[in-house]
Amino acid sequence: MQLVSKTKRVVEARLNNSAIRALSGSMIAYEGQVSFKSAGFGGGDGVVAGVKRRATGEGLSLMECAGTGVVYLAQDAANVTVIDLRADTLQVESEQLLALAGDLQTNVTFAGVRGGVSGQGLFTTTVTGSGQVALLSKGGPLVHLEVSPQYPLVVDPDAFVCARGGLSQTFVTDVSWRSAVGQGSGEAFSLRWDGAGVVSIQPAER
């Protein structure tokens, strides 16, 4: 199986007696002998993963595409980027996932408390293993930003898509720029990444 960018908004899933998982409803066309079925709530990773996703609100509804042929995938005309993982872990916003191919497992991890008086928890979907991940981005292609120990990175949580590498995440609650651009309502916070790795953002906010 292989994920290949057909255009900047469409990805091909090439199947050879194999299977992939893709966002439910993202199939726009297919060729060959391919069957489709629900991968279950939580992307087919079992009942425990499904319960965790329901509890955290980090929903991921996937379908399984299996057989031999080509499946064309797209979602809301968003840009698509294919990332290769090799015994790696990707932290990603679940709504940015389009497809998973290979020996990959998904899970939900606690990212920390948002801060302030609400104490609201934040959760991140992790994709671990070896294979390919197709990610969606609004406003244009993903922007990949290097993070080094000397140069930590702070990003808008509404623009954050994924992170990989030896990175740790914390929350920055003293965010003066939100007030400066008229987004000062509610609890202002940003995501700070320290260590060495890559953080990918989209050029549009959710």
Side-chain angles (χ1 to χ4, degrees), residues 76-147:
D76 298 331
N79 284 74
V80 181
T81 301
V82 176
I83 292 179
D84 294 316
L85 296 181
R86 293 179 177 86
D88 204 353
T89 297
L90 186 73
Q91 302 178 56
V92 61
E93 287 288 327
S94 63
E95 62 189 83
Q96 311 295 139
L97 278 171
L98 177 62
L100 302 162
D103 184 17
L104 297 171
Q105 294 78 44
T106 60
N107 198 3
V108 177
T109 60
F110 181 60
V113 176
R114 180 170 176 166
V117 296
S118 74
Q120 179 181 352
L122 295 180
F123 300 85
T124 299
T125 295
T126 60
V127 181
T128 305
S130 297
Q132 292 178 296
V133 182
L135 299 174
L136 299 166
S137 60
K138 299 178 181 178
L142 285 178
V143 179
H144 306 291
L145 303 174
E146 294 280 346
V147 182

Side-chain angles (χ1 to χ4, degrees), residues 114-116 154 170-179 187-192:
R114 180 170 176 166
V154 177
T170 54
F171 296 98
V172 180
T173 56
D174 182 17
V175 188
S176 59
W177 63 265
R178 281 190 179 271
S179 299
E187 281 189 277
F189 74 100
S190 286
L191 304 178
R192 172 174 167 143

Side-chain angles (χ1 to χ4, degrees), residues 1-137:
M1 76 199 86
Q2 186 180 21
L3 299 177
V4 178
S5 296
K6 176 68 173 177
T7 71
K8 62 182 180 179
R9 293 185 174 90
V10 178
V11 68
E12 289 183 7
R14 298 176 181 175
L15 304 177
N16 183 14
N17 194 27
S18 55
I20 66 158
R21 287 176 290 166
L23 184 67
S24 295
S26 62
M27 188 275 290
I28 57 173
Y30 75 93
E31 303 167 344
Q33 300 298 314
V34 182
S35 63
F36 302 87
K37 68 177 182 180
S38 172
F41 192 85
D45 287 344
V47 175
V48 174
V51 170
K52 289 175 68 174
R53 290 184 189 283
R54 289 190 187 278
T56 62
E58 184 79 352
L60 181 62
S61 178
L62 298 179
M63 62 181 178
E64 181 183 272
C65 314
T68 298
V70 178
V71 181
Y72 300 91
L73 304 168
Q75 184 73 12
D76 298 331
N79 284 74
V80 181
T81 301
V82 176
I83 292 179
D84 294 316
L85 296 181
R86 293 179 177 86
D88 204 353
T89 297
L90 186 73
Q91 302 178 56
V92 61
E93 287 288 327
S94 63
E95 62 189 83
Q96 311 295 139
L97 278 171
L98 177 62
L100 302 162
D103 184 17
L104 297 171
Q105 294 78 44
T106 60
N107 198 3
V108 177
T109 60
F110 181 60
V113 176
R114 180 170 176 166
V117 296
S118 74
Q120 179 181 352
L122 295 180
F123 300 85
T124 299
T125 295
T126 60
V127 181
T128 305
S130 297
Q132 292 178 296
V133 182
L135 299 174
L136 299 166
S137 60

